[in-house]
Amino acid sequence: MRPSPRSLLLVTCLLAGCRTAREAPAAQAKADCGPVIAGMEAVLKPAAFVVLGEIHGTREAPAFAARLACHAAVSGQPVRLALELPVEDQAHLDAFTAGETQGPPDSPFWHREAQDGRGSEAMRGLLERVRELRRAGLPVRVVAFDPGGKDRDNTMAEQLRQARSQAREDTFIVLVGNYHARRDVGAPWDEKLQFMTHRLLEAEPGLVSLDVVNAGGSAWVCRGMTADTCGQQPLRSRGEAQAEGILLQKKADDPDSYDGTYSVGVMTASPPAFGAPSTATPAPR
Protein backbone atom coordinates (compact mmCIF):
# COMPACT_ATOMS: atom_id res chain seq x y z
CA MET A 1 0.00 0.00 0.00
CA ARG A 2 1.34 3.36 -0.96
CA PRO A 3 1.56 5.96 1.85
CA SER A 4 -0.83 8.86 1.42
CA PRO A 5 0.53 12.38 0.77
CA ARG A 6 -0.70 13.36 4.21
CA SER A 7 1.29 10.53 5.81
CA LEU A 8 4.40 11.58 3.90
CA LEU A 9 3.93 15.18 5.05
CA LEU A 10 3.56 14.03 8.65
CA VAL A 11 6.75 11.95 8.48
CA THR A 12 8.62 14.84 6.87
CA CYS A 13 7.47 17.23 9.60
CA LEU A 14 8.48 14.82 12.33
CA LEU A 15 11.94 14.45 10.85
CA ALA A 16 12.43 18.12 10.00
CA GLY A 17 10.86 19.59 13.11
CA CYS A 18 7.94 21.37 11.44
CA ARG A 19 5.69 23.62 13.55
CA THR A 20 1.97 23.81 13.25
CA ALA A 21 0.31 27.19 12.86
CA ARG A 22 -0.89 26.93 16.46
CA GLU A 23 2.65 26.20 17.72
CA ALA A 24 4.32 28.98 15.77
CA PRO A 25 5.33 31.89 18.01
CA ALA A 26 3.48 35.13 17.36
CA ALA A 27 5.52 38.00 16.00
CA GLN A 28 6.49 40.28 18.87
CA ALA A 29 5.38 43.88 18.53
CA LYS A 30 8.23 46.35 18.45
CA ALA A 31 8.59 50.07 19.08
CA ASP A 32 11.39 52.54 19.71
CA CYS A 33 11.10 53.18 23.44
CA GLY A 34 14.23 55.28 23.68
CA PRO A 35 17.23 54.45 25.88
CA VAL A 36 16.84 51.87 28.62
CA ILE A 37 15.97 53.52 31.94
CA ALA A 38 18.57 52.76 34.58
CA GLY A 39 17.02 50.76 37.41
CA MET A 40 13.79 49.95 35.59
CA GLU A 41 14.32 46.19 35.93
CA ALA A 42 13.80 46.59 39.69
CA VAL A 43 10.22 47.80 39.23
CA LEU A 44 9.05 46.46 35.86
CA LYS A 45 8.10 43.00 37.00
CA PRO A 46 5.00 41.13 35.78
CA ALA A 47 1.83 42.52 37.37
CA ALA A 48 3.80 45.32 39.03
CA PHE A 49 2.07 48.38 40.48
CA VAL A 50 4.28 51.45 40.13
CA VAL A 51 3.23 54.93 41.27
CA LEU A 52 5.18 57.87 39.81
CA GLY A 53 4.76 61.03 41.86
CA GLU A 54 5.10 64.07 39.62
CA ILE A 55 5.12 67.86 39.64
CA HIS A 56 2.23 68.78 37.35
CA GLY A 57 2.92 70.90 34.29
CA THR A 58 6.28 69.63 33.04
CA ARG A 59 7.35 67.92 29.84
CA GLU A 60 9.63 65.44 31.53
CA ALA A 61 7.32 63.52 33.92
CA PRO A 62 4.73 62.46 31.29
CA ALA A 63 7.55 61.59 28.89
CA PHE A 64 9.17 59.40 31.56
CA ALA A 65 5.88 57.60 32.24
CA ALA A 66 5.40 56.93 28.52
CA ARG A 67 8.95 55.63 28.16
CA LEU A 68 8.58 53.32 31.16
CA ALA A 69 5.27 52.00 29.83
CA CYS A 70 6.82 51.37 26.42
CA HIS A 71 9.71 49.36 27.86
CA ALA A 72 7.30 47.28 29.94
CA ALA A 73 5.05 46.59 26.95
CA VAL A 74 7.96 45.68 24.65
CA SER A 75 9.07 43.12 27.24
CA GLY A 76 5.66 41.46 26.86
CA GLN A 77 3.83 42.94 29.84
CA PRO A 78 0.28 44.24 29.24
CA VAL A 79 0.33 47.79 30.62
CA ARG A 80 -2.35 50.01 32.16
CA LEU A 81 -1.06 53.58 32.17
CA ALA A 82 -3.21 55.28 34.83
CA LEU A 83 -3.48 59.07 34.61
CA GLU A 84 -4.94 61.74 36.91
CA LEU A 85 -7.66 62.57 34.37
CA PRO A 86 -11.46 62.66 34.81
CA VAL A 87 -13.15 59.26 34.78
CA GLU A 88 -15.89 60.68 32.56
CA ASP A 89 -13.29 61.12 29.81
CA GLN A 90 -12.53 57.37 29.70
CA ALA A 91 -14.64 56.53 26.65
CA HIS A 92 -13.11 59.37 24.65
CA LEU A 93 -9.60 58.40 25.74
CA ASP A 94 -10.24 54.79 24.71
CA ALA A 95 -11.49 55.88 21.30
CA PHE A 96 -8.57 58.23 20.72
CA THR A 97 -5.81 55.85 21.79
CA ALA A 98 -7.41 53.05 19.78
CA GLY A 99 -7.29 55.24 16.66
CA GLU A 100 -11.07 55.44 16.34
CA THR A 101 -11.13 59.25 16.46
CA GLN A 102 -8.81 61.57 14.58
CA GLY A 103 -8.79 64.72 16.68
CA PRO A 104 -6.77 65.12 19.89
CA PRO A 105 -8.44 64.31 23.22
CA ASP A 106 -10.71 67.20 24.13
CA SER A 107 -13.30 67.78 26.87
CA PRO A 108 -14.25 70.52 29.36
CA PHE A 109 -11.37 69.33 31.57
CA TRP A 110 -8.84 70.61 29.04
CA HIS A 111 -10.49 74.04 28.96
CA ARG A 112 -10.84 74.75 32.69
CA GLU A 113 -10.11 78.28 33.84
CA ALA A 114 -7.37 77.15 36.23
CA GLN A 115 -5.06 74.92 34.18
CA ASP A 116 -2.97 73.24 36.86
CA GLY A 117 -0.70 71.25 34.54
CA ARG A 118 -2.74 68.04 34.26
CA GLY A 119 -4.15 69.22 30.93
CA SER A 120 -0.78 70.20 29.48
CA GLU A 121 0.71 69.80 26.04
CA ALA A 122 2.90 67.08 27.51
CA MET A 123 -0.11 65.14 28.77
CA ARG A 124 -1.75 65.37 25.37
CA GLY A 125 1.55 64.20 23.90
CA LEU A 126 1.51 61.26 26.30
CA LEU A 127 -1.89 60.20 24.99
CA GLU A 128 -0.68 60.55 21.42
CA ARG A 129 2.33 58.39 22.32
CA VAL A 130 0.02 55.67 23.69
CA ARG A 131 -1.89 55.85 20.42
CA GLU A 132 1.38 55.26 18.52
CA LEU A 133 2.32 52.32 20.74
CA ARG A 134 -1.07 50.70 20.28
CA ARG A 135 -0.80 51.20 16.52
CA ALA A 136 2.53 49.35 16.71
CA GLY A 137 0.75 46.45 18.40
CA LEU A 138 1.87 47.02 21.98
CA PRO A 139 -0.56 46.16 24.82
CA VAL A 140 -0.89 49.59 26.44
CA ARG A 141 -4.17 51.08 27.67
CA VAL A 142 -4.95 54.35 29.44
CA VAL A 143 -6.95 54.44 32.68
CA ALA A 144 -8.47 57.74 33.84
CA PHE A 145 -8.89 57.51 37.62
CA ASP A 146 -9.91 60.94 38.95
CA PRO A 147 -13.65 61.15 39.83
CA GLY A 148 -13.18 64.57 41.42
CA GLY A 149 -15.02 65.39 44.63
CA LYS A 150 -13.81 66.57 48.01
CA ASP A 151 -11.84 63.51 49.17
CA ARG A 152 -9.94 62.83 45.98
CA ASP A 153 -7.32 60.62 47.64
CA ASN A 154 -10.09 58.24 48.66
CA THR A 155 -12.03 58.29 45.40
CA MET A 156 -8.91 57.99 43.23
CA ALA A 157 -7.72 55.02 45.28
CA GLU A 158 -11.11 53.35 44.85
CA GLN A 159 -11.01 53.87 41.07
CA LEU A 160 -7.56 52.28 40.89
CA ARG A 161 -8.67 49.33 43.02
CA GLN A 162 -11.57 48.76 40.63
CA ALA A 163 -9.30 49.00 37.58
CA ARG A 164 -6.83 46.59 39.16
CA SER A 165 -9.57 44.06 39.95
CA GLN A 166 -10.29 43.87 36.21
CA ALA A 167 -6.64 43.43 35.19
CA ARG A 168 -4.75 41.55 37.89
CA GLU A 169 -2.05 40.32 35.52
CA ASP A 170 -1.31 43.71 33.95
CA THR A 171 1.48 46.06 34.95
CA PHE A 172 0.08 49.32 36.31
CA ILE A 173 2.06 52.54 35.90
CA VAL A 174 0.31 55.38 37.72
CA LEU A 175 1.23 59.04 37.12
CA VAL A 176 -0.12 61.31 39.86
CA GLY A 177 0.79 64.43 41.83
CA ASN A 178 3.58 63.55 44.25
CA TYR A 179 1.57 64.26 47.40
CA HIS A 180 -0.98 61.64 46.29
CA ALA A 181 1.93 59.23 45.74
CA ARG A 182 3.03 59.28 49.38
CA ARG A 183 2.80 56.04 51.36
CA ASP A 184 2.62 57.71 54.78
CA VAL A 185 -0.11 59.62 56.61
CA GLY A 186 -0.33 63.33 57.32
CA ALA A 187 0.22 66.63 55.52
CA PRO A 188 1.11 70.14 56.71
CA TRP A 189 -2.58 71.09 56.50
CA ASP A 190 -4.01 67.82 57.89
CA GLU A 191 -2.00 65.49 60.12
CA LYS A 192 -4.51 62.67 59.64
CA LEU A 193 -4.72 62.82 55.85
CA GLN A 194 -4.40 59.41 54.19
CA PHE A 195 -2.94 59.86 50.73
CA MET A 196 -4.13 57.89 47.71
CA THR A 197 -1.14 55.56 47.70
CA HIS A 198 -1.42 54.87 51.43
CA ARG A 199 -5.02 53.79 50.85
CA LEU A 200 -3.86 51.32 48.19
CA LEU A 201 -1.25 49.51 50.29
CA GLU A 202 -3.58 46.94 51.82
CA ALA A 203 -4.81 45.82 48.40
CA GLU A 204 -1.38 46.25 46.75
CA PRO A 205 1.32 45.23 49.28
CA GLY A 206 3.90 45.05 46.49
CA LEU A 207 3.22 48.61 45.33
CA VAL A 208 6.29 50.73 44.57
CA SER A 209 5.99 54.50 44.97
CA LEU A 210 8.60 56.80 43.44
CA ASP A 211 9.02 60.55 43.92
CA VAL A 212 10.39 62.69 41.11
CA VAL A 213 13.84 64.23 41.50
CA ASN A 214 14.73 67.17 39.31
CA ALA A 215 17.65 69.49 38.78
CA GLY A 216 15.54 72.62 38.75
CA GLY A 217 13.95 74.24 35.72
CA SER A 218 10.31 75.29 35.42
CA ALA A 219 6.72 74.01 35.53
CA TRP A 220 3.26 75.30 34.62
CA VAL A 221 1.49 75.49 37.97
CA CYS A 222 -1.45 77.18 39.70
CA ARG A 223 -1.18 78.91 43.04
CA GLY A 224 -4.92 79.38 43.30
CA MET A 225 -8.22 78.46 41.65
CA THR A 226 -8.34 81.19 38.98
CA ALA A 227 -6.51 81.65 35.69
CA ASP A 228 -4.52 84.63 36.91
CA THR A 229 -2.77 82.39 39.47
CA CYS A 230 -1.52 79.94 36.83
CA GLY A 231 1.56 80.15 34.70
CA GLN A 232 5.16 79.13 34.23
CA GLN A 233 7.08 79.18 37.49
CA PRO A 234 10.71 78.37 38.34
CA LEU A 235 11.50 75.15 40.18
CA ARG A 236 14.16 74.64 42.75
CA SER A 237 16.27 71.53 42.51
CA ARG A 238 14.77 68.72 44.60
CA GLY A 239 16.85 66.00 46.17
CA GLU A 240 20.46 65.08 45.65
CA ALA A 241 21.78 65.14 42.11
CA GLN A 242 21.53 61.71 40.46
CA ALA A 243 21.73 60.27 37.00
CA GLU A 244 18.50 59.83 35.05
CA GLY A 245 16.73 56.68 36.10
CA ILE A 246 15.12 54.88 39.03
CA LEU A 247 16.66 54.45 42.46
CA LEU A 248 14.96 52.21 45.02
CA GLN A 249 16.31 53.73 48.20
CA LYS A 250 14.24 55.26 50.98
CA LYS A 251 15.44 58.52 52.50
CA ALA A 252 16.98 58.07 55.94
CA ASP A 253 15.24 61.20 57.25
CA ASP A 254 11.85 60.28 55.71
CA PRO A 255 11.71 56.50 55.22
CA ASP A 256 7.93 56.13 55.07
CA SER A 257 7.01 58.51 52.27
CA TYR A 258 8.27 56.78 49.09
CA ASP A 259 10.10 53.58 48.13
CA GLY A 260 12.56 55.50 46.02
CA THR A 261 12.95 58.15 43.35
CA TYR A 262 13.08 58.63 39.62
CA SER A 263 15.26 61.34 38.15
CA VAL A 264 14.44 63.34 35.01
CA GLY A 265 17.11 66.06 35.08
CA VAL A 266 16.18 69.68 34.44
CA MET A 267 12.43 70.17 34.02
CA THR A 268 10.68 72.30 31.40
CA ALA A 269 7.25 73.90 31.79
CA SER A 270 4.52 72.49 29.58
CA PRO A 271 1.67 74.96 28.94
CA PRO A 272 -2.01 73.99 28.55
CA ALA A 273 -2.70 71.76 25.56
CA PHE A 274 -5.39 74.02 24.15
CA GLY A 275 -3.83 77.37 24.96
CA ALA A 276 -3.44 79.31 28.18
CA PRO A 277 -6.25 81.62 29.31
CA SER A 278 -5.57 85.26 28.45
CA THR A 279 -5.35 86.14 32.15
CA ALA A 280 -2.64 83.58 32.90
CA THR A 281 0.50 84.71 34.67
CA PRO A 282 3.24 85.43 32.13
CA ALA A 283 6.44 83.43 32.25
CA PRO A 284 9.10 85.09 34.44
CA ARG A 285 11.91 86.74 32.55
Side-chain angles (χ1 to χ4, degrees), residues 219-244:
W220 183 280
V221 296
C222 290
R223 295 179 173 178
M225 300 301 294
T226 56
D228 60 342
T229 66
C230 304
Q232 179 178 317
Q233 298 292 341
L235 291 176
R236 290 182 299 176
S237 177
R238 296 181 67 248
E240 297 180 2
Q242 67 183 60
E244 182 187 57

Side-chain angles (χ1 to χ4, degrees), residues 154-226:
N154 181 42
T155 56
M156 291 194 298
E158 179 57 30
Q159 287 293 320
L160 287 172
R161 281 193 291 266
Q162 290 180 14
R164 182 63 154 176
S165 69
Q166 298 167 8
R168 290 287 182 191
E169 303 304 314
D170 289 9
T171 290
F172 273 64
I173 297 174
V174 182
L175 183 65
V176 68
N178 55 0
Y179 263 114
H180 301 300
R182 292 179 68 98
R183 298 172 61 99
D184 56 358
V185 176
W189 60 91
D190 183 353
E191 64 181 12
K192 297 181 180 180
L193 177 61
Q194 296 182 38
F195 297 105
M196 181 198 81
T197 295
H198 175 81
R199 295 170 184 264
L200 288 168
L201 292 177
E202 183 176 354
E204 292 292 334
L207 178 153
V208 175
S209 180
L210 304 174
D211 189 20
V212 67
V213 173
N214 69 82
S218 61
W220 183 280
V221 296
C222 290
R223 295 179 173 178
M225 300 301 294
T226 56

Side-chain angles (χ1 to χ4, degrees), residues 104-105 110-111 115 117-125 270-276:
W110 299 85
H111 298 280
Q115 286 292 330
R118 291 179 293 144
S120 68
E121 289 180 352
M123 287 295 287
R124 186 175 74 176
S270 182
F274 292 94

